[in-house]
């Protein structure tokens, strides 16, 4: 769509795909109305994402399960991190939540397949764990060192099952979105 740009981070499948991407909506842009047959979850990284259900400011985490639909856009522009086709077909758990509620760590969503958390690490604070089922990490704000790699704001990292998270927050701290346990379920959508 005009004014909507996407940077693909991961894709499994063809036209209909299990996908993870960063999407930028230019001011005044809008995507056509569409259903989310396989579900959608997103984080607003910058600006205000909008649809007929409301406004979603920076820092909002949204889960739109299978059978939901909307007409997304951004009057003033926005950037989102979005994951498509990654829900169980029976999942109907729809919600939105502000990720940073003042607690250093809290669970945003948890079910039998995955756990989604938000963490706020202070400068030089470390996160060391080896999550079952692999992990994905997104840094909405700040930077961190993960083993040998310096991860800047909006960096995305996926670690396979058995790989440890060995992350240390930068000088100004960092905010993290972490999803664990879900990687054994990665497959192209069956349509």
């Amino acid at each position: 769509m005009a004014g909507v740009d996407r940077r693909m981070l991961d894709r499994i499948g063809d036209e209909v795909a299990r996908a993870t991407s960063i999407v930028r909506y230019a001011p005044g842009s809008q995507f056509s109305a569409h259903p989310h047959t396989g579900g959608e979850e997103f984080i607003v990284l910058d600006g205000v994402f909008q649809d007929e259900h409301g406004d979603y400011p920076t820092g909002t985490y949204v889960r739109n399960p299978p059978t939901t639909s909307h007409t997304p856009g951004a009057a003033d522009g926005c950037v989102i991190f979005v994951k498509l086709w990654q829900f169980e077909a029976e999942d109907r758990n729809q919600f939105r939540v502000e990720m940073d509620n003042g607690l250093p760590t809290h669970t945003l969503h948890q079910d039998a397949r995955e756990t989604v958390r938000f963490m706020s690490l202070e400068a030089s604070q470390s996160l060391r764990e080896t999550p079952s089922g692999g992990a994905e990490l997104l840094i909405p704000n700040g930077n961190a060192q993960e083993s040998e790699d310096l991860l800047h704001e909006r960096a995305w990292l996926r670690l396979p099952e058995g790989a440890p998270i060995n992350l240390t927050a930068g000088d100004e701290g960092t905010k993290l979105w972490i999803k664990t346990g879900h990687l054994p379920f990665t497959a192209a959508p069956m349509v």
Side-chain angles (χ1 to χ4, degrees), residues 109-154:
H109 169 74
Q110 187 169 25
D111 62 24
R113 290 175 19 143
E114 65 187 20
T115 300
V116 182
R117 296 176 288 160
F118 174 81
M119 299 182 82
S120 182
L121 301 178
E122 295 180 13
S124 301
Q125 185 179 357
S126 294
L127 171 63
R128 306 276 189 264
E129 62 182 58
T130 303
S132 176
E136 282 183 72
L137 294 87
L138 175 73
I139 299 180
N141 300 100
N143 61 52
Q145 187 80 29
E146 209 297 317
S147 297
E148 301 297 317
D149 298 313
L150 180 59
L151 305 175
H152 295 281
E153 185 170 286
R154 298 190 186 165

Side-chain angles (χ1 to χ4, degrees), residues 67-80:
T67 74
T68 59
S69 63
H70 66 161
T71 306
D76 297 322
C78 74
V79 177
I80 65 172

Side-chain angles (χ1 to χ4, degrees), residues 15 27 59-60 69 110 118 126 142 160 166 170 174 176 182:
E15 182 63 29
T60 305
S69 63
Q110 187 169 25
F118 174 81
S126 294
N166 185 17
T174 191
L176 295 171
H182 63 297

Side-chain angles (χ1 to χ4, degrees), residues 90-108:
E90 304 79 32
D91 189 340
R92 297 296 181 268
N93 186 14
Q94 183 175 23
F95 67 87
R96 67 182 265 186
V97 63
E98 299 302 317
M99 290 193 308
D100 194 351
N101 65 4
L103 296 174
T105 301
H106 63 279
T107 300
L108 300 170

